[in-house]
Amino acid sequence: VSASPATLKVGVVLFEGFELLDVFGPLEMLGEKGEIVMLAERLGVVASAQGPKSVIDGTLESVERLDILLVPGGRGTRREVLNPKFLEALKSLSERTRFVTSVCTGSALLAKAGILDGRRATTNKRAFAWVSSQGPQVDWIAEARWVEDGRFFTSSGVSAGMDMALGLIAHLFGRETSLTIAQGAEYEWHEDKGWDPFARINGLA
Amino acid sequence: VSASPATLKVGVVLFEGFELLDVFGPLEMLGEKGEIVMLAERLGVVASAQGPKSVIDGTLESVERLDILLVPGGRGTRREVLNPKFLEALKSLSERTRFVTSVCTGSALLAKAGILDGRRATTNKRAFAWVSSQGPQVDWIAEARWVEDGRFFTSSGVSAGMDMALGLIAHLFGRETSLTIAQGAEYEWHEDKGWDPFARINGLA
């Protein structure tokens, strides 16, 4: 891995109605290893599904390249899958990015933009039917905490993003680094990406 | 419990250098049951320890009453324990609040303000010595995921805030409500508030 901790650039795509933990769970883990920029269609502030508002650092077009792109879910995804301009900017940004990641229904945005075509991916288990309908060319995996396919890391619902982020850190820096970060956050990492009781609960396994 | 879901008012105290997951982990859970306001000493925006900035809805003095007050940790607590004006406003706000909660080193702020005197409380296990030195009149519990003492709910480091928030929701609305919220977030709740491998790792148990 060539990137040093100081140069790892993490970009998050925000939109009105993003899910709080989808964004800030992974950032808690990735923040130990990189510089974070909050991106959106427009500058200003963006309100989460739960209310709290985040400040945008730049537009999707403003970033030349990223090491990691994080796409959260949340009820706003239902609107953004119908926003071709946003999806086009997302696709273009994903092509300037080393690792493309999503949490929960964020994979619906990647899928609708065509970014996951021919790839294995997963998503929130309660919204599985809707998300998978956004990408008929994607190989959707129902039972997985997260799925890695090349430079694409997609995770299950909400809290699964933390486990996926630690999985990506392990891929880049080794397992010990992930265990150290998890311990610092007093977090019990679900290290097994096949661990998924929620697939069963939702009748998918 | 008299508060209906629509009227539960949750206030979060932010300061420069707050820890992301300390704030947004609990808010992911509490957001299902209430209206969230982001508070600080001054209006404007506040940067987290990891970089992302949040928009402030009001000052600590602007809120008449709260159902739940959430005080996060993060490296900014090292500065704020030396800020008497902030601690005074925090103490006053805690007296207008039904349930006072903290995550990680947030309990250092409550302790230094005298809010936890004579109460049982816990905190981050790596910072235990420093935090407990901020409140010699507090009965500090080393081994606990979170501690409940009357209207005070204090949790261990970072990710423990999510478990504590679900514990408070269980206290207010019943265990089934917490299990439903955890399942919606695909989160494995550590329901046992005595579960604490991090006390042992850090030589405290």
Side-chain angles (χ1 to χ4, degrees), chain B residues 23-40:
Chain B
V23 169
F24 296 109
L27 289 187
E28 175 70 33
M29 309 305 170
L30 295 168
E32 295 286 320
K33 285 293 171 191
E35 178 209 344
I36 297 165
V37 287
M38 306 302 262
L39 307 170

PDB file of all heavy atoms in Angstrom, chain B residues 23-40:
ATOM      1  N   VAL B  23     -21.326  11.219  19.641  1.00  0.00           N
ATOM      2  CA  VAL B  23     -22.530  12.014  19.377  1.00  0.00           C
ATOM      3  C   VAL B  23     -23.519  11.238  18.508  1.00  0.00           C
ATOM      4  O   VAL B  23     -24.685  11.060  18.849  1.00  0.00           O
ATOM      5  CB  VAL B  23     -22.156  13.345  18.689  1.00  0.00           C
ATOM      6  CG1 VAL B  23     -23.398  14.065  18.152  1.00  0.00           C
ATOM      7  CG2 VAL B  23     -21.393  14.235  19.663  1.00  0.00           C
ATOM      8  N   PHE B  24     -23.035  10.775  17.361  1.00  0.00           N
ATOM      9  CA  PHE B  24     -23.979  10.294  16.352  1.00  0.00           C
ATOM     10  C   PHE B  24     -24.394   8.840  16.522  1.00  0.00           C
ATOM     11  O   PHE B  24     -25.403   8.417  15.942  1.00  0.00           O
ATOM     12  CB  PHE B  24     -23.420  10.575  14.956  1.00  0.00           C
ATOM     13  CG  PHE B  24     -23.277  12.057  14.701  1.00  0.00           C
ATOM     14  CD1 PHE B  24     -22.033  12.667  14.636  1.00  0.00           C
ATOM     15  CD2 PHE B  24     -24.408  12.847  14.583  1.00  0.00           C
ATOM     16  CE1 PHE B  24     -21.905  14.033  14.438  1.00  0.00           C
ATOM     17  CE2 PHE B  24     -24.304  14.220  14.386  1.00  0.00           C
ATOM     18  CZ  PHE B  24     -23.049  14.818  14.308  1.00  0.00           C
ATOM     19  N   GLY B  25     -23.657   8.069  17.334  1.00  0.00           N
ATOM     20  CA  GLY B  25     -24.112   6.722  17.682  1.00  0.00           C
ATOM     21  C   GLY B  25     -25.386   6.788  18.517  1.00  0.00           C
ATOM     22  O   GLY B  25     -26.441   6.270  18.110  1.00  0.00           O
ATOM     23  N   PRO B  26     -25.338   7.467  19.672  1.00  0.00           N
ATOM     24  CA  PRO B  26     -26.560   7.613  20.474  1.00  0.00           C
ATOM     25  C   PRO B  26     -27.698   8.304  19.712  1.00  0.00           C
ATOM     26  O   PRO B  26     -28.857   7.915  19.848  1.00  0.00           O
ATOM     27  CB  PRO B  26     -26.103   8.458  21.671  1.00  0.00           C
ATOM     28  CG  PRO B  26     -24.653   8.119  21.821  1.00  0.00           C
ATOM     29  CD  PRO B  26     -24.145   7.932  20.407  1.00  0.00           C
ATOM     30  N   LEU B  27     -27.371   9.317  18.899  1.00  0.00           N
ATOM     31  CA  LEU B  27     -28.445  10.034  18.181  1.00  0.00           C
ATOM     32  C   LEU B  27     -29.129   9.127  17.158  1.00  0.00           C
ATOM     33  O   LEU B  27     -30.315   9.308  16.871  1.00  0.00           O
ATOM     34  CB  LEU B  27     -27.904  11.289  17.494  1.00  0.00           C
ATOM     35  CG  LEU B  27     -27.506  12.433  18.425  1.00  0.00           C
ATOM     36  CD1 LEU B  27     -27.163  13.675  17.612  1.00  0.00           C
ATOM     37  CD2 LEU B  27     -28.591  12.738  19.458  1.00  0.00           C
ATOM     38  N   GLU B  28     -28.384   8.174  16.584  1.00  0.00           N
ATOM     39  CA  GLU B  28     -29.015   7.211  15.671  1.00  0.00           C
ATOM     40  C   GLU B  28     -30.150   6.480  16.399  1.00  0.00           C
ATOM     41  O   GLU B  28     -31.220   6.263  15.829  1.00  0.00           O
ATOM     42  CB  GLU B  28     -27.988   6.191  15.177  1.00  0.00           C
ATOM     43  CG  GLU B  28     -28.560   5.066  14.313  1.00  0.00           C
ATOM     44  CD  GLU B  28     -29.029   5.532  12.943  1.00  0.00           C
ATOM     45  OE1 GLU B  28     -28.416   6.464  12.376  1.00  0.00           O
ATOM     46  OE2 GLU B  28     -30.020   4.956  12.435  1.00  0.00           O
ATOM     47  N   MET B  29     -29.901   6.119  17.662  1.00  0.00           N
ATOM     48  CA  MET B  29     -30.891   5.372  18.450  1.00  0.00           C
ATOM     49  C   MET B  29     -31.981   6.305  18.986  1.00  0.00           C
ATOM     50  O   MET B  29     -33.166   6.044  18.847  1.00  0.00           O
ATOM     51  CB  MET B  29     -30.196   4.653  19.609  1.00  0.00           C
ATOM     52  CG  MET B  29     -28.973   3.812  19.206  1.00  0.00           C
ATOM     53  SD  MET B  29     -29.342   2.573  17.917  1.00  0.00           S
ATOM     54  CE  MET B  29     -27.680   2.009  17.493  1.00  0.00           C
ATOM     55  N   LEU B  30     -31.571   7.440  19.596  1.00  0.00           N
ATOM     56  CA  LEU B  30     -32.524   8.368  20.219  1.00  0.00           C
ATOM     57  C   LEU B  30     -33.369   9.098  19.187  1.00  0.00           C
ATOM     58  O   LEU B  30     -34.498   9.526  19.484  1.00  0.00           O
ATOM     59  CB  LEU B  30     -31.778   9.377  21.091  1.00  0.00           C
ATOM     60  CG  LEU B  30     -31.059   8.793  22.311  1.00  0.00           C
ATOM     61  CD1 LEU B  30     -30.113   9.830  22.922  1.00  0.00           C
ATOM     62  CD2 LEU B  30     -32.059   8.298  23.361  1.00  0.00           C
ATOM     63  N   GLY B  31     -32.827   9.255  17.976  1.00  0.00           N
ATOM     64  CA  GLY B  31     -33.535   9.971  16.915  1.00  0.00           C
ATOM     65  C   GLY B  31     -34.856   9.326  16.553  1.00  0.00           C
ATOM     66  O   GLY B  31     -35.749   9.978  16.013  1.00  0.00           O
ATOM     67  N   GLU B  32     -34.980   8.044  16.871  1.00  0.00           N
ATOM     68  CA  GLU B  32     -36.242   7.333  16.600  1.00  0.00           C
ATOM     69  C   GLU B  32     -37.347   7.779  17.557  1.00  0.00           C
ATOM     70  O   GLU B  32     -38.519   7.482  17.333  1.00  0.00           O
ATOM     71  CB  GLU B  32     -36.039   5.820  16.777  1.00  0.00           C
ATOM     72  CG  GLU B  32     -35.077   5.198  15.786  1.00  0.00           C
ATOM     73  CD  GLU B  32     -35.687   5.078  14.408  1.00  0.00           C
ATOM     74  OE1 GLU B  32     -36.882   4.741  14.311  1.00  0.00           O
ATOM     75  OE2 GLU B  32     -34.962   5.343  13.428  1.00  0.00           O
ATOM     76  N   LYS B  33     -36.972   8.422  18.652  1.00  0.00           N
ATOM     77  CA  LYS B  33     -37.926   8.716  19.725  1.00  0.00           C
ATOM     78  C   LYS B  33     -38.014  10.189  20.075  1.00  0.00           C
ATOM     79  O   LYS B  33     -38.672  10.543  21.056  1.00  0.00           O
ATOM     80  CB  LYS B  33     -37.528   7.926  20.985  1.00  0.00           C
ATOM     81  CG  LYS B  33     -37.861   6.450  20.891  1.00  0.00           C
ATOM     82  CD  LYS B  33     -39.367   6.282  20.880  1.00  0.00           C
ATOM     83  CE  LYS B  33     -39.807   4.870  20.562  1.00  0.00           C
ATOM     84  NZ  LYS B  33     -41.257   4.827  20.307  1.00  0.00           N
ATOM     85  N   GLY B  34     -37.314  11.048  19.370  1.00  0.00           N
ATOM     86  CA  GLY B  34     -37.356  12.432  19.791  1.00  0.00           C
ATOM     87  C   GLY B  34     -36.903  13.426  18.753  1.00  0.00           C
ATOM     88  O   GLY B  34     -36.502  13.075  17.641  1.00  0.00           O
ATOM     89  N   GLU B  35     -36.932  14.675  19.178  1.00  0.00           N
ATOM     90  CA  GLU B  35     -36.488  15.804  18.370  1.00  0.00           C
ATOM     91  C   GLU B  35     -35.118  16.198  18.903  1.00  0.00           C
ATOM     92  O   GLU B  35     -34.928  16.315  20.114  1.00  0.00           O
ATOM     93  CB  GLU B  35     -37.483  16.960  18.568  1.00  0.00           C
ATOM     94  CG  GLU B  35     -37.151  18.220  17.837  1.00  0.00           C
ATOM     95  CD  GLU B  35     -37.675  19.456  18.577  1.00  0.00           C
ATOM     96  OE1 GLU B  35     -38.535  19.329  19.472  1.00  0.00           O
ATOM     97  OE2 GLU B  35     -37.181  20.563  18.252  1.00  0.00           O
ATOM     98  N   ILE B  36     -34.152  16.396  18.006  1.00  0.00           N
ATOM     99  CA  ILE B  36     -32.760  16.642  18.412  1.00  0.00           C
ATOM    100  C   ILE B  36     -32.401  18.112  18.218  1.00  0.00           C
ATOM    101  O   ILE B  36     -32.673  18.688  17.162  1.00  0.00           O
ATOM    102  CB  ILE B  36     -31.803  15.763  17.574  1.00  0.00           C
ATOM    103  CG1 ILE B  36     -32.089  14.281  17.840  1.00  0.00           C
ATOM    104  CG2 ILE B  36     -30.339  16.106  17.885  1.00  0.00           C
ATOM    105  CD1 ILE B  36     -31.471  13.342  16.824  1.00  0.00           C
ATOM    106  N   VAL B  37     -31.756  18.706  19.240  1.00  0.00           N
ATOM    107  CA  VAL B  37     -31.183  20.048  19.079  1.00  0.00           C
ATOM    108  C   VAL B  37     -29.698  19.998  19.426  1.00  0.00           C
ATOM    109  O   VAL B  37     -29.303  19.396  20.418  1.00  0.00           O
ATOM    110  CB  VAL B  37     -31.894  21.125  19.945  1.00  0.00           C
ATOM    111  CG1 VAL B  37     -33.265  21.456  19.385  1.00  0.00           C
ATOM    112  CG2 VAL B  37     -32.002  20.705  21.397  1.00  0.00           C
ATOM    113  N   MET B  38     -28.888  20.638  18.578  1.00  0.00           N
ATOM    114  CA  MET B  38     -27.440  20.684  18.773  1.00  0.00           C
ATOM    115  C   MET B  38     -27.098  22.005  19.457  1.00  0.00           C
ATOM    116  O   MET B  38     -27.397  23.080  18.926  1.00  0.00           O
ATOM    117  CB  MET B  38     -26.725  20.571  17.422  1.00  0.00           C
ATOM    118  CG  MET B  38     -27.135  19.359  16.581  1.00  0.00           C
ATOM    119  SD  MET B  38     -26.878  17.760  17.393  1.00  0.00           S
ATOM    120  CE  MET B  38     -25.305  17.281  16.662  1.00  0.00           C
ATOM    121  N   LEU B  39     -26.461  21.913  20.622  1.00  0.00           N
ATOM    122  CA  LEU B  39     -26.202  23.080  21.462  1.00  0.00           C
ATOM    123  C   LEU B  39     -24.705  23.307  21.637  1.00  0.00           C
ATOM    124  O   LEU B  39     -23.914  22.374  21.603  1.00  0.00           O
ATOM    125  CB  LEU B  39     -26.851  22.868  22.832  1.00  0.00           C
ATOM    126  CG  LEU B  39     -28.336  22.505  22.807  1.00  0.00           C
ATOM    127  CD1 LEU B  39     -28.812  22.086  24.193  1.00  0.00           C
ATOM    128  CD2 LEU B  39     -29.178  23.658  22.273  1.00  0.00           C
ATOM    129  N   ALA B  40     -24.327  24.558  21.849  1.00  0.00           N
ATOM    130  CA  ALA B  40     -22.923  24.889  22.124  1.00  0.00           C
ATOM    131  C   ALA B  40     -22.867  26.223  22.850  1.00  0.00           C
ATOM    132  O   ALA B  40     -23.899  26.874  23.044  1.00  0.00           O
ATOM    133  CB  ALA B  40     -22.118  24.944  20.829  1.00  0.00           C
TER     134      ALA B  40
END
